[in-house]
Amino acid sequence: MLIVIFTLIWGIALFIFLFYSLISLLFRMISYPRDFYHFAGNQQPAKIDCNLQYYVIVPCFNEAGVIQRTIKGLLKFKQFEIVVVDDASSDGSISKIKQINNSRVHLLRRYVPNAHTGKGDVLNFALDYICQITIRQGVPFEKVIIGVVDADAQLADNALQRLNAYFSLPKTNITQMRVKMYPHFKNGLQILQDIEFFSINHMAQIMRMYTKTVGLSGNGQFFRLKPIIDKIGVHPWGNALLDDYELTIKMMLKKLRVDYMTDTYVYQEALTSPKRFIRQRSRWVQGDLNCLKYLPQVIKSRILSRTQKLGIYYFLLQPWLNFLADIAIIILTAITLTHWHDLYSYLPIMTFSLVIGGLVTFSLFWGIIFGIFYCRDLAHYHEPPLKKRQLFFLPIGISYMYVILFFSIIMAYWRWSFHQNSWIKTEHGKNAA
C-alpha cells in the first residue's frame, strides 16, 4: 500500500514538472527567435527618448571582493546614475566604494540596528533617495527608470541600447533581463547554474512572456517609476526572502505587465561551493513560502486571467511538490533496498534491468535536450564554449543537479516552520567567484 501511495505522489509531481518543461520547450522552439520583435528591447521605436534618467540600485553588504568591478562596469553606461546602498558592511566595502571618485556614484549608508533587515528594505531606502532627487530636479517620474543590479553583477555591452529601445515606447513599464553566470567556470556546479539560468529559466520566461506571467529576478530588473509609485506605492518591495517574486505578484495584481529581454543579459557570479549553493536555494524556497500570504488575493482577483493564476499557483506549489516528490523517492528507495530479495524473486533479472535502464535513460533525455539548447545559446551569443570533458558530463549533471537541493528544501521548511526569517546572505568574492 505504501508503495502505491508514494508512487502516485511521485508520479503526479513528475507529470506536472514534465508538462511544464515540455510546454516551455515548445515555446522556445516554435516562438523564438522567429518572433524576435515580440520581446522587450528588440523593437525599433520611431525615436529614442533622450530624456530618460536611469538610476541603478546596487545593494551592498560585505561585497569588498566584487563591488568595485560592478560599479566600474555600470559607469561604462553614460546614462546611469549608480546608487550603492551599504547595509552596514564590516569588510571594507565602504573604502572600496569611496576609491571610485565619480559624481554619478551615490553612496547611501544604513547603520545597525536599522540595517540587516532584508533586501527589500535596502531597495526601498534607495528609492526614497531617488524620489527626493528627481523631485528636486523637476524630472517627471515617467522619465525615471529604476534598475536593480546585484553587487556581483555586470550588464552586457548592448544593455543600454535595449533598455532605451524598450522605455522609449510610452506604454512600456517593467522588464526583466535574461540572466547569465560569468564564464570561465572553475567547476561543474558553476556550469550547471549557468545552464539553469541562461537556458532552462530562459525557456520558462519565454513561455511566461506569452502568458503574461514573466517573473522578476533579483538581478537585472528595470521599471518606469511612475506606474509603480501610482499603483503599488513608494515602498514597492516587501519583506519576503524572495523579494523579486513578491514584487512580481504585487505588479500582476495591479495589472502591471512584466516584459522579458531575451537578447541582452546580466552576468552574475555562480557559486563554487555546494554548501553555499544549498544555503542560497533554501532562502529562495523559503521566500516562495513567504509569498503564500498573497494566495487569497490571487484566488479572489478579477484582474488576473486564469492563465496568470495558474502560473502563480505553479510557482507557489513548487516547494510542496519538490518536498513530496523527494520524500516519495527516499521512501521508495528504502522500500526497494529493504525488500530487495522479494523484488528480485518477483521480477526476472532482465525485466528489472530494463526498468532501471529505462528510468536512467528517461532522466538523461532531458539533460541531453537542455544541454543541446545551452550549447547552441553559447554559440549564438559568442560566449566561451565548454570543453569536451565538460560536454560529456553535461547531461548527467543537468538531470541530477536537483538531488542536492533536497537539503535546501528541508532547511527552508525548518526555518519557515519556526518563523526564522532572517536574511541568509550569499557570499561573494574570491572564494565564491
Side-chain angles (χ1 to χ4, degrees), residues 292-307:
L292 284 171
K293 63 184 178 183
Y294 293 98
L295 186 58
Q297 296 180 52
V298 172
I299 294 171
K300 295 175 184 177
S301 175
R302 295 184 179 181
I303 293 176
L304 297 172
S305 67
R306 291 181 181 177
T307 305

Side-chain angles (χ1 to χ4, degrees), residues 6-43:
F6 286 104
T7 301
L8 183 63
I9 292 172
W10 176 75
I12 292 172
L14 181 63
F15 173 79
I16 294 173
F17 167 75
L18 291 180
F19 180 78
Y20 190 85
S21 298
L22 181 61
I23 296 298
S24 300
L25 188 62
L26 288 174
F27 269 101
R28 171 66 175 84
M29 293 174 63
I30 296 171
S31 66
Y32 185 81
R34 181 178 60 83
D35 200 6
F36 179 79
Y37 290 104
H38 188 84
F39 296 91
N42 297 343
Q43 302 85 357

